[in-house]
Amino acid sequence: MQQKSKGIKYFGTLTSLLRDRDSFLEEVKEGVRLPSKIISLLVCSSLFLSIYGAIIGAYHSWMQALSSAVKLPVLYLITLLICLPTLFFANIIFGSKRTFGQFFAIVLTAVSITSVLLFSFASISLFFMISTNHYQFIILINVIIFSITGFIGVSFLSKAANVVLEQEPDKIREKSLEDNLEYKLEQNQEQNREQNLEYKLEQNLEQNQEYNLEQNLDKESEILIEQDFIKFSKEDLQDNSKHKLNKDDNGSKIRQKIVKYWLFLYAFVGIQLGWSLRPFFGTPGSPFQLFREREGNIYVSIIQSLAYLLGIR
Amino acid sequence: MLEKRTHKAENLNVLINLLRDRQNFLEEINQGIRLPNKINSLLVSSSVCFALYGLIIGASHSWMQSLSSAIKFPAFYLLTLMICFPTLFFFNILFGSRSTLLQHLAVLLTAVSVISVLLFSFAPVTLFFLITTPNSYQFFKILNVLIFLITGFFGVKFLYEGMQILSKQNENGKKTRTFIVQSWLILYGLIGMQLGWFLRPFFGSPGSQFELFRAIQGNFYLDIIEAFAEVFGFK
């Protein structure tokens, strides 16, 4: 009974993500119940991915189905874990104030979206598997499904990154700057007042009333000058704070770029991991194997086969 | 024990501080606030990060290689820094910088720490390729060269920023000093390459026996070109 309600809770997080993405991201941004969100996203996405994995493996045999059901979630989630530190530290270096949990959450949302979409394609994939016997066609259709879902997941990731990583020009710092400014102004004014008072006192003590008129004129001009000074210092401070805000703006642009470049890293690692985890489908007629014998590095293989095609070797 | 732990936490704190709010950190260096403390923590944390990365790249060969790389790798970055540091400092002083020795050291160390943290963040990726493709030594090497390039680029960027802030106060001779930093970077690169070559092997070519140091031979650039040639199949 309890387990059931737990399952419903996990599912609830996912549907809330799907239904009302904006408020979900807003919650991630504010760090509301992050651990529970992360866990439920993890559970949901691995569940959906393993269902899809089981379906594509079922084309070969039930053993292949089982192994694919494990391999497919592993492929998506391990790649994520491998690449996450790079994203986190690179963002921190460019002034992000988000926590590791928040980064984990937004990247997981992208994977969850992909997994849900894959799940929604599962019936179509299953239908083609039952109705056709053509291995290459099934591979082709799956590649298309994977690229569509992956593309939507990625576009969602960049949107989520925009929402969550966007730091409104640092309210706290801005406030402290303003406070600083006011404080300095007050200090200046107080100083001026004190100086004026002392000055007046001295003047009164030292000088006759005849002199007073001239002194008053002098004082007035002095006060004017000081007011000018205050004005300038205020402008200066404001300029400074603007400069800092601009700087932060610059940082947020760089951070968005980092997310984009990080996707390449994710793909780079994911391709290699997919290569090492093969087979997912299992060629029909071949005996079941958990892993194919290691063919090493996919990039080296690609370059070598290219070289072979071009006749360099 | 407890004291040690808090010490560690403090080191980490300084590092996170540096990463999160660089502007303030550099400003603090500029004002000379708790400099020795900062320098210590930066030294410790960057050595730890470098050592971890060294451990991983050495593991492609054997555990002995991995241990030796874990020591060599921080030594490589920090020794190069120490060798080149006086040149930068005295040249800067000569052209009117008013910053102290410690301030210069702190700014340089921030750049190195940034590199070390970025390398640390790439460590899972390297480890992954190490595990999945045990036989492609040359690919592993090129991947690492790429990672070093990326991290080094960011480190240099931050060094620039730090130097800019240090020489903010006196405009006198600022242009010359920027030029000095640029030329110094080239010097740093040259020294680093030579030292790196001298400290080889870091990776240890597969099938060879463990050696602490290799007999000096060849040249860095030739080796990289050879690695590319092997991957692209020209050889």
Short mmCIF file of all heavy atoms in Angstrom, two decimals, chain A residues 93-94, chain B residues 22 77 107-116 118 147-163 181 184-185 188:
data_model
loop_
_atom_site.label_atom_id
_atom_site.label_comp_id
_atom_site.label_asym_id
_atom_site.label_seq_id
_atom_site.Cartn_x
_atom_site.Cartn_y
_atom_site.Cartn_z
N ILE A 93 32.83 28.51 -12.05
CA ILE A 93 33.96 29.39 -12.34
C ILE A 93 33.48 30.67 -13.00
O ILE A 93 34.05 31.73 -12.82
CB ILE A 93 35.00 28.64 -13.18
CG1 ILE A 93 35.85 27.82 -12.24
CG2 ILE A 93 35.86 29.58 -13.97
CD1 ILE A 93 36.84 26.97 -12.88
N PHE A 94 32.37 30.57 -13.74
CA PHE A 94 31.86 31.80 -14.33
C PHE A 94 30.75 32.41 -13.49
O PHE A 94 29.81 33.01 -14.00
CB PHE A 94 31.40 31.54 -15.76
CG PHE A 94 32.56 31.46 -16.68
CD1 PHE A 94 33.07 30.24 -17.04
CD2 PHE A 94 33.18 32.60 -17.12
CE1 PHE A 94 34.17 30.16 -17.85
CE2 PHE A 94 34.28 32.53 -17.93
CZ PHE A 94 34.78 31.31 -18.29
N ARG B 22 34.97 35.49 -7.80
CA ARG B 22 36.34 35.80 -8.12
C ARG B 22 36.67 37.26 -7.93
O ARG B 22 37.73 37.63 -7.46
CB ARG B 22 36.63 35.38 -9.55
CG ARG B 22 37.82 34.54 -9.64
CD ARG B 22 38.02 34.04 -11.01
NE ARG B 22 37.33 34.82 -11.96
CZ ARG B 22 36.24 34.41 -12.59
NH1 ARG B 22 35.74 33.24 -12.34
NH2 ARG B 22 35.65 35.18 -13.46
N TYR B 77 53.19 21.35 -12.40
CA TYR B 77 52.56 22.67 -12.49
C TYR B 77 53.19 23.66 -11.52
O TYR B 77 53.45 24.81 -11.86
CB TYR B 77 51.06 22.56 -12.20
CG TYR B 77 50.24 22.31 -13.43
CD1 TYR B 77 49.93 21.03 -13.85
CD2 TYR B 77 49.77 23.38 -14.19
CE1 TYR B 77 49.18 20.81 -14.98
CE2 TYR B 77 49.02 23.16 -15.33
CZ TYR B 77 48.73 21.88 -15.71
OH TYR B 77 47.98 21.67 -16.83
N VAL B 107 48.03 35.75 -7.00
CA VAL B 107 47.31 35.83 -8.28
C VAL B 107 47.71 34.67 -9.19
O VAL B 107 46.85 34.03 -9.81
CB VAL B 107 47.60 37.18 -8.97
CG1 VAL B 107 47.09 37.15 -10.39
CG2 VAL B 107 46.93 38.29 -8.22
N LEU B 108 49.01 34.36 -9.22
CA LEU B 108 49.45 33.24 -10.06
C LEU B 108 48.82 31.94 -9.58
O LEU B 108 48.37 31.12 -10.37
CB LEU B 108 50.97 33.13 -10.02
CG LEU B 108 51.72 34.19 -10.78
CD1 LEU B 108 53.20 33.91 -10.74
CD2 LEU B 108 51.26 34.21 -12.22
N LEU B 109 48.78 31.80 -8.26
CA LEU B 109 48.22 30.57 -7.72
C LEU B 109 46.73 30.45 -8.01
O LEU B 109 46.23 29.34 -8.22
CB LEU B 109 48.44 30.50 -6.21
CG LEU B 109 49.76 29.87 -5.80
CD1 LEU B 109 49.88 29.86 -4.30
CD2 LEU B 109 49.87 28.47 -6.34
N THR B 110 46.02 31.58 -8.04
CA THR B 110 44.60 31.48 -8.40
C THR B 110 44.46 30.90 -9.80
O THR B 110 43.61 30.03 -10.02
CB THR B 110 43.88 32.83 -8.39
OG1 THR B 110 44.61 33.73 -9.18
CG2 THR B 110 43.71 33.37 -7.01
N ALA B 111 45.29 31.36 -10.72
CA ALA B 111 45.19 30.84 -12.09
C ALA B 111 45.44 29.34 -12.09
O ALA B 111 44.70 28.57 -12.70
CB ALA B 111 46.19 31.55 -13.00
N VAL B 112 46.48 28.91 -11.38
CA VAL B 112 46.80 27.49 -11.35
C VAL B 112 45.67 26.70 -10.69
O VAL B 112 45.32 25.60 -11.12
CB VAL B 112 48.14 27.25 -10.63
CG1 VAL B 112 48.38 25.77 -10.42
CG2 VAL B 112 49.27 27.82 -11.45
N SER B 113 45.07 27.29 -9.65
CA SER B 113 43.98 26.57 -8.97
C SER B 113 42.78 26.41 -9.88
O SER B 113 42.12 25.37 -9.87
CB SER B 113 43.52 27.30 -7.72
OG SER B 113 44.60 27.70 -6.98
N VAL B 114 42.50 27.46 -10.66
CA VAL B 114 41.39 27.34 -11.61
C VAL B 114 41.66 26.17 -12.56
O VAL B 114 40.78 25.33 -12.81
CB VAL B 114 41.21 28.65 -12.39
CG1 VAL B 114 40.32 28.42 -13.60
CG2 VAL B 114 40.59 29.70 -11.51
N ILE B 115 42.89 26.09 -13.06
CA ILE B 115 43.24 24.97 -13.94
C ILE B 115 43.02 23.65 -13.22
O ILE B 115 42.44 22.71 -13.76
CB ILE B 115 44.71 25.08 -14.41
CG1 ILE B 115 44.89 26.31 -15.27
CG2 ILE B 115 45.10 23.83 -15.17
CD1 ILE B 115 46.28 26.48 -15.76
N SER B 116 43.47 23.59 -11.97
CA SER B 116 43.39 22.31 -11.27
C SER B 116 41.95 21.90 -11.04
O SER B 116 41.60 20.72 -11.20
CB SER B 116 44.14 22.40 -9.94
OG SER B 116 43.39 23.08 -8.99
N LEU B 118 39.34 22.73 -12.86
CA LEU B 118 38.75 22.31 -14.14
C LEU B 118 39.22 20.92 -14.52
O LEU B 118 38.44 20.08 -14.99
CB LEU B 118 39.10 23.31 -15.24
CG LEU B 118 38.24 24.56 -15.25
CD1 LEU B 118 38.73 25.51 -16.31
CD2 LEU B 118 36.80 24.18 -15.52
N ILE B 147 42.13 18.28 -23.26
CA ILE B 147 41.65 18.74 -21.96
C ILE B 147 42.63 19.74 -21.34
O ILE B 147 42.23 20.78 -20.81
CB ILE B 147 41.44 17.53 -21.02
CG1 ILE B 147 40.24 16.72 -21.49
CG2 ILE B 147 41.22 17.99 -19.59
CD1 ILE B 147 40.00 15.47 -20.72
N PHE B 148 43.93 19.44 -21.46
CA PHE B 148 44.92 20.38 -20.92
C PHE B 148 44.82 21.72 -21.62
O PHE B 148 44.95 22.76 -21.00
CB PHE B 148 46.34 19.83 -21.07
CG PHE B 148 46.60 18.63 -20.21
CD1 PHE B 148 47.44 17.63 -20.63
CD2 PHE B 148 45.99 18.52 -18.98
CE1 PHE B 148 47.66 16.52 -19.84
CE2 PHE B 148 46.20 17.42 -18.19
CZ PHE B 148 47.05 16.42 -18.63
N LEU B 149 44.59 21.67 -22.93
CA LEU B 149 44.48 22.92 -23.69
C LEU B 149 43.31 23.75 -23.19
O LEU B 149 43.45 24.95 -22.93
CB LEU B 149 44.28 22.62 -25.18
CG LEU B 149 45.53 22.40 -26.00
CD1 LEU B 149 45.17 22.16 -27.45
CD2 LEU B 149 46.45 23.60 -25.90
N ILE B 150 42.15 23.11 -23.04
CA ILE B 150 40.94 23.84 -22.62
C ILE B 150 41.15 24.45 -21.24
O ILE B 150 40.92 25.64 -21.02
CB ILE B 150 39.73 22.91 -22.61
CG1 ILE B 150 39.39 22.47 -24.03
CG2 ILE B 150 38.53 23.59 -21.99
CD1 ILE B 150 38.37 21.37 -24.10
N THR B 151 41.62 23.60 -20.31
CA THR B 151 41.77 24.10 -18.95
C THR B 151 42.84 25.19 -18.88
O THR B 151 42.67 26.19 -18.18
CB THR B 151 42.14 22.96 -18.00
OG1 THR B 151 43.27 22.28 -18.54
CG2 THR B 151 41.03 21.99 -17.85
N GLY B 152 43.92 24.98 -19.62
CA GLY B 152 44.98 25.97 -19.61
C GLY B 152 44.49 27.30 -20.14
O GLY B 152 44.84 28.36 -19.62
N PHE B 153 43.64 27.25 -21.15
CA PHE B 153 43.10 28.48 -21.74
C PHE B 153 42.35 29.30 -20.69
O PHE B 153 42.55 30.51 -20.56
CB PHE B 153 42.17 28.10 -22.89
CG PHE B 153 41.43 29.25 -23.48
CD1 PHE B 153 42.08 30.11 -24.33
CD2 PHE B 153 40.11 29.46 -23.17
CE1 PHE B 153 41.41 31.19 -24.87
CE2 PHE B 153 39.43 30.53 -23.70
CZ PHE B 153 40.09 31.40 -24.56
N PHE B 154 41.52 28.60 -19.89
CA PHE B 154 40.77 29.32 -18.86
C PHE B 154 41.70 29.86 -17.78
O PHE B 154 41.51 30.96 -17.28
CB PHE B 154 39.71 28.42 -18.25
CG PHE B 154 38.51 28.27 -19.12
CD1 PHE B 154 38.20 27.05 -19.69
CD2 PHE B 154 37.72 29.35 -19.41
CE1 PHE B 154 37.11 26.91 -20.51
CE2 PHE B 154 36.63 29.22 -20.24
CZ PHE B 154 36.32 28.00 -20.78
N GLY B 155 42.69 29.05 -17.43
CA GLY B 155 43.65 29.51 -16.43
C GLY B 155 44.32 30.80 -16.85
O GLY B 155 44.42 31.75 -16.08
N VAL B 156 44.74 30.84 -18.12
CA VAL B 156 45.42 32.03 -18.63
C VAL B 156 44.48 33.23 -18.59
O VAL B 156 44.87 34.34 -18.23
CB VAL B 156 45.92 31.76 -20.07
CG1 VAL B 156 46.30 33.05 -20.75
CG2 VAL B 156 47.09 30.83 -20.03
N LYS B 157 43.22 32.98 -18.92
CA LYS B 157 42.23 34.05 -18.92
C LYS B 157 42.12 34.67 -17.52
O LYS B 157 42.07 35.89 -17.36
CB LYS B 157 40.89 33.47 -19.35
CG LYS B 157 39.92 34.48 -19.84
CD LYS B 157 38.80 33.83 -20.59
CE LYS B 157 37.68 34.81 -20.78
NZ LYS B 157 36.72 34.84 -19.72
N PHE B 158 42.11 33.79 -16.52
CA PHE B 158 41.97 34.31 -15.16
C PHE B 158 43.24 34.98 -14.68
O PHE B 158 43.18 35.93 -13.90
CB PHE B 158 41.54 33.21 -14.22
CG PHE B 158 40.17 32.78 -14.52
CD1 PHE B 158 39.80 31.46 -14.56
CD2 PHE B 158 39.23 33.74 -14.81
CE1 PHE B 158 38.51 31.10 -14.87
CE2 PHE B 158 37.94 33.39 -15.13
CZ PHE B 158 37.60 32.07 -15.15
N LEU B 159 44.37 34.51 -15.15
CA LEU B 159 45.62 35.17 -14.79
C LEU B 159 45.60 36.62 -15.28
O LEU B 159 45.96 37.55 -14.56
CB LEU B 159 46.79 34.42 -15.42
CG LEU B 159 48.14 35.03 -15.12
CD1 LEU B 159 48.45 34.89 -13.65
CD2 LEU B 159 49.22 34.38 -15.94
N TYR B 160 45.12 36.77 -16.51
CA TYR B 160 44.99 38.11 -17.08
C TYR B 160 44.13 39.00 -16.22
O TYR B 160 44.48 40.12 -15.89
CB TYR B 160 44.31 37.99 -18.45
CG TYR B 160 45.22 38.27 -19.57
CD1 TYR B 160 46.11 37.30 -20.00
CD2 TYR B 160 45.21 39.50 -20.20
CE1 TYR B 160 46.95 37.54 -21.03
CE2 TYR B 160 46.05 39.74 -21.25
CZ TYR B 160 46.92 38.77 -21.66
OH TYR B 160 47.75 39.02 -22.68
N GLU B 161 42.96 38.46 -15.87
CA GLU B 161 42.01 39.23 -15.10
C GLU B 161 42.64 39.68 -13.78
O GLU B 161 42.52 40.83 -13.37
CB GLU B 161 40.79 38.35 -14.83
CG GLU B 161 39.50 39.09 -14.63
CD GLU B 161 38.36 38.10 -14.52
OE1 GLU B 161 38.03 37.43 -15.51
OE2 GLU B 161 37.83 37.98 -13.42
N GLY B 162 43.30 38.71 -13.12
CA GLY B 162 43.91 39.01 -11.84
C GLY B 162 44.97 40.08 -11.96
O GLY B 162 45.05 41.01 -11.15
N MET B 163 45.81 39.96 -13.00
CA MET B 163 46.87 40.94 -13.18
C MET B 163 46.30 42.33 -13.47
O MET B 163 46.82 43.34 -13.01
CB MET B 163 47.78 40.52 -14.34
CG MET B 163 48.74 39.43 -13.96
SD MET B 163 49.84 40.02 -12.66
CE MET B 163 50.60 38.53 -12.13
N VAL B 181 53.20 40.43 -18.98
CA VAL B 181 52.44 39.22 -18.64
C VAL B 181 52.33 38.32 -19.86
O VAL B 181 52.50 37.10 -19.77
CB VAL B 181 51.04 39.58 -18.10
CG1 VAL B 181 50.21 38.32 -17.93
CG2 VAL B 181 51.15 40.28 -16.77
N TRP B 184 55.56 36.74 -20.53
CA TRP B 184 55.86 35.79 -19.46
C TRP B 184 55.11 34.49 -19.67
O TRP B 184 55.63 33.41 -19.38
CB TRP B 184 55.48 36.41 -18.12
CG TRP B 184 55.77 35.51 -16.98
CD1 TRP B 184 56.98 35.30 -16.39
CD2 TRP B 184 54.87 34.66 -16.29
NE1 TRP B 184 56.87 34.38 -15.40
CE2 TRP B 184 55.59 33.97 -15.31
CE3 TRP B 184 53.50 34.42 -16.42
CZ2 TRP B 184 54.99 33.06 -14.46
CZ3 TRP B 184 52.91 33.51 -15.58
CH2 TRP B 184 53.65 32.84 -14.61
N LEU B 185 53.89 34.60 -20.20
CA LEU B 185 53.11 33.38 -20.45
C LEU B 185 53.83 32.48 -21.44
O LEU B 185 53.84 31.25 -21.31
CB LEU B 185 51.73 33.74 -20.98
CG LEU B 185 50.74 34.12 -19.89
CD1 LEU B 185 49.45 34.60 -20.50
CD2 LEU B 185 50.49 32.93 -18.99
N TYR B 188 56.51 30.84 -19.61
CA TYR B 188 55.92 29.79 -18.77
C TYR B 188 55.65 28.54 -19.60
O TYR B 188 55.95 27.42 -19.19
CB TYR B 188 54.63 30.31 -18.15
CG TYR B 188 53.97 29.37 -17.18
CD1 TYR B 188 54.34 29.36 -15.85
CD2 TYR B 188 52.97 28.50 -17.60
CE1 TYR B 188 53.74 28.49 -14.95
CE2 TYR B 188 52.37 27.63 -16.72
CZ TYR B 188 52.76 27.64 -15.40
OH TYR B 188 52.16 26.78 -14.53
#
